[in-house]
Amino acid sequence: MTDSSKTAKVRQRKPEGPFSDELLDQILSQLKGNDAESLLGQTGLVAQLKKQLAERMLSAELGHHLRQEREQAEQDDPVNHRNGSTSKTVLTPEGALSLQIPRDRQATFDPVLVGKHQRRLPGFDDHVIGMYARGMSVREIQAHLLELYGHEVSPSLISAITDEVMAETQEWQSRPLDGMYPVVFFDALRLKIRDEGSVKNKAVYLALGVDASGRKDVLGLWIEQTEGSKFWLKVFNDLKTRGLQDILICVVDGLRGFPEAIEAVFPKAMIQTCIVHLIRNSLDYAGWKDRKLVAQALRPIYTAVSEEAAREELQAFAKGPWGLKYPSIVQSWTRAWEHVVPFFVFPPDIRRVIYTTNAIESLNMQLRKIIKTRGHFPNDESAIKLLWLALRNALNKSVRRAFDWKIAMNQFAILYGDRFTLAKS
């Protein structure tokens, strides 16, 4: 194929987008430079094009409005006309945009593209909320917008934008739940929150449920306001009010007052100590160089085939070199043993579901990355708002199912019978 035929073939190729190459070439011919700033900068070609297109659309809106009025007007009615324009600056995700908003003489025109009292175009609020969800404070967002766009946005406007999320948060916190969850993991995050004039360390608890189909979802989050069983009683009553009737297995990490409250609201639920947390708590007692070897020595305990075999392995660990060197590890397992042993009743497939807490660990890791940049929160509401935004981003990424769920589901159905089928009704 000759060079000329190749060129002809390229010219005949259809453009990939909605605009022809000729039109794009005509627009680019107005470019006053050959750098990125001339094209994409605040005063570049793209910004000018956006301004011109927006004003053209506003002018077309007014023209349509005036034609409609003429068609509806009677012969002796005064006819409305254009009446100049008004300057208005609106905020967009790309920066401030100065527009000339056309007016009509009778002031009956209310544009759709940019409403009379509208100061932000669609997308700007999502941009601000996205920065807030990544852990940026109101002042940091204000400084970022000023640096990026050269336009100062008031802290009160940023707070108002993020406060709109609270309605969505409350709706999520009160949404209906399934009647039964085979496994629910409970875990806590520690936050510094200002309360009654002083900054306090408060616990924010997450409940991650695995439903009958193996889908994982965060059922809610709560900030601890009262001590022990009173707080957990409030949490469980909240879950029950939203439709949850039964939990087969609760996986927790030694939470005070939890057993008493769960027995009062979900008396059939089995409480299981989180094996992953127990291992990590054990490794806190060990020296840094010993941790890998200690973890290997603990493995025969929680992988034992039965409770009796696990008890023998714990005794062997206690008499071994690591148990003698770190007796606190043996004591921690002995104290938690009452809520460790239920684990050994289950077949391996259900054990893997209980043991594999990667989902909640991964979730907590993402949340901690966001909250670690904050010194403290001004109130409980701001903490919940930020955590929900972070959760929403994390939950939107993917929907994961529990490990080998099909096999585990059959085991649950055999072991629990009608209790497991409650969620299917």
Side-chain angles (χ1 to χ4, degrees):
M1 185 181 292
T2 64
D3 291 341
S4 59
S5 61
K6 287 181 180 179
T7 304
K9 189 171 183 180
V10 170
R11 287 176 179 171
Q12 292 172 3
R13 186 180 300 159
K14 293 183 179 180
E16 295 181 0
F19 307 109
S20 67
D21 290 343
E22 290 77 8
L23 177 59
L24 293 176
D25 289 341
Q26 186 179 352
I27 294 173
L28 289 173
S29 67
Q30 306 299 315
L31 193 63
K32 299 177 180 178
N34 115 11
D35 57 354
E37 183 66 24
S38 300
L39 179 65
L40 303 173
Q42 291 185 18
T43 59
L45 181 62
V46 172
Q48 295 175 42
L49 183 61
K50 181 187 292 185
K51 171 182 168 64
Q52 193 169 347
L53 284 172
E55 291 176 348
R56 185 67 177 268
M57 290 174 67
L58 287 165
S59 179
E61 274 195 64
L62 178 55
H64 177 71
H65 172 74
L66 294 176
R67 284 194 300 273
Q68 279 191 319
E69 283 197 346
R70 290 192 192 101
E71 291 172 359
Q72 296 171 2
E74 298 180 3
Q75 293 294 331
D76 54 347
D77 284 347
V79 179
N80 198 2
H81 296 283
R82 293 178 182 266
N83 189 30
S85 61
T86 304
S87 298
K88 182 175 184 178
T89 299
V90 293
L91 298 173
T92 76
E94 292 76 30
L97 182 64
S98 297
L99 297 173
Q100 293 296 318
I101 309 296
R103 298 180 304 184
D104 63 323
R105 188 170 296 174
Q106 296 178 4
T108 57
F109 175 53
D110 186 7
V112 175
L113 181 65
V114 182
K116 283 187 176 180
H117 304 290
Q118 185 178 349
R119 293 290 176 183
R120 310 188 302 274
L121 289 187
F124 180 79
D125 288 12
D126 290 340
H127 192 48
V128 172
I129 289 171
M131 288 188 284
Y132 190 85
R134 289 192 290 273
M136 296 175 68
S137 67
V138 170
R139 295 291 179 183
E140 288 170 339
I141 294 173
Q142 183 189 30
H144 181 74
L145 293 174
L146 179 61
E147 179 183 355
L148 194 61
Y149 303 144
H151 189 88
E152 186 168 0
V153 180
S154 68
S156 59
L157 174 59
I158 296 171
S159 295
I161 292 172
T162 56
D163 284 345
E164 292 174 3
V165 177
M166 282 308 299
E168 185 180 349
T169 307
Q170 292 166 0
E171 182 180 353
W172 174 77
Q173 282 279 74
S174 59
R175 74 194 190 280
L177 300 175
D178 287 348
M180 184 278 301
Y181 286 84
V183 184
V184 179
F185 301 93
F186 292 89
D187 201 6
L189 294 167
R190 296 284 172 180
L191 303 181
K192 293 183 183 296
I193 302 175
R194 184 170 291 279
D195 187 8
E196 297 180 352
S198 62
V199 177
K200 300 179 181 179
N201 284 317
K202 290 189 175 183
V204 179
Y205 290 95
L206 295 173
L208 177 68
V210 180
D211 67 16
S213 65
R215 182 179 178 273
K216 296 180 180 180
D217 191 19
V218 177
L219 308 184
L221 37 88
W222 302 265
I223 294 182
E224 185 175 20
Q225 302 288 352
T226 57
E227 293 289 328
S229 57
K230 290 183 180 179
F231 167 75
W232 285 112
L233 194 61
K234 177 185 175 183
V235 170
F236 295 138
N237 282 327
D238 176 30
L239 293 174
K240 194 161 189 176
T241 301
R242 291 162 56 196
L244 178 55
Q245 298 300 315
D246 194 9
I247 302 174
L248 304 185
I249 306 168
C250 295
V251 183
V252 297
D253 181 29
L255 301 175
R256 185 175 54 181
F258 189 96
E260 297 85 351
I262 195 75
E263 185 177 352
V265 182
F266 300 108
K268 295 182 179 180
M270 180 178 291
I271 301 174
Q272 171 64 51
T273 290
C274 177
I275 302 298
V276 172
H277 280 97
L278 188 56
I279 295 168
R280 290 180 180 173
N281 293 340
S282 300
L283 296 182
D284 287 341
Y285 295 110
W288 183 257
K289 294 182 179 179
D290 295 336
R291 288 188 175 188
K292 187 174 181 179
L293 294 174
V294 171
Q296 291 175 354
L298 288 170
R299 182 175 175 80
I301 302 173
Y302 59 85
T303 57
V305 295
S306 64
E307 178 187 345
E308 292 76 13
R311 194 182 301 275
E312 291 176 4
E313 292 293 348
L314 178 59
Q315 292 172 354
F317 177 87
K319 296 176 182 178
W322 299 119
L324 295 173
K325 185 175 182 178
Y326 301 113
S328 297
I329 295 178
V330 179
Q331 293 171 11
S332 68
W333 279 78
T334 302
R335 286 193 301 268
W337 196 252
E338 177 187 356
H339 295 306
V340 171
V341 292
F343 182 78
F344 300 105
V345 174
F346 300 109
D349 300 298
I350 292 182
R351 288 195 199 182
R352 279 192 284 269
V353 175
I354 299 172
Y355 175 76
T356 306
T357 58
N358 292 342
I360 200 164
E361 289 298 313
S362 174
L363 202 57
N364 281 346
M365 187 183 303
Q366 294 180 59
L367 297 181
R368 288 189 178 99
K369 284 181 182 178
I370 291 168
I371 62 179
K372 72 178 181 181
T373 60
R374 295 293 188 95
H376 68 275
F377 292 89
N379 49 52
D380 290 355
E381 186 179 271
S382 64
I384 289 290
K385 182 169 63 177
L386 177 60
L387 288 173
W388 157 240
L389 285 171
L391 275 174
R392 185 180 66 174
N393 290 346
L395 295 173
N396 284 342
K397 288 181 180 178
S398 63
V399 176
R400 297 183 179 181
R401 296 185 182 276
F403 181 84
D404 283 344
W405 182 254
K406 286 294 183 183
I407 301 175
M409 181 173 66
N410 290 321
Q411 296 284 353
F412 274 115
I414 293 170
L415 289 171
Y416 288 96
D418 291 342
R419 286 181 66 193
F420 181 74
T421 59
L422 177 62
K424 299 178 183 178
S425 59

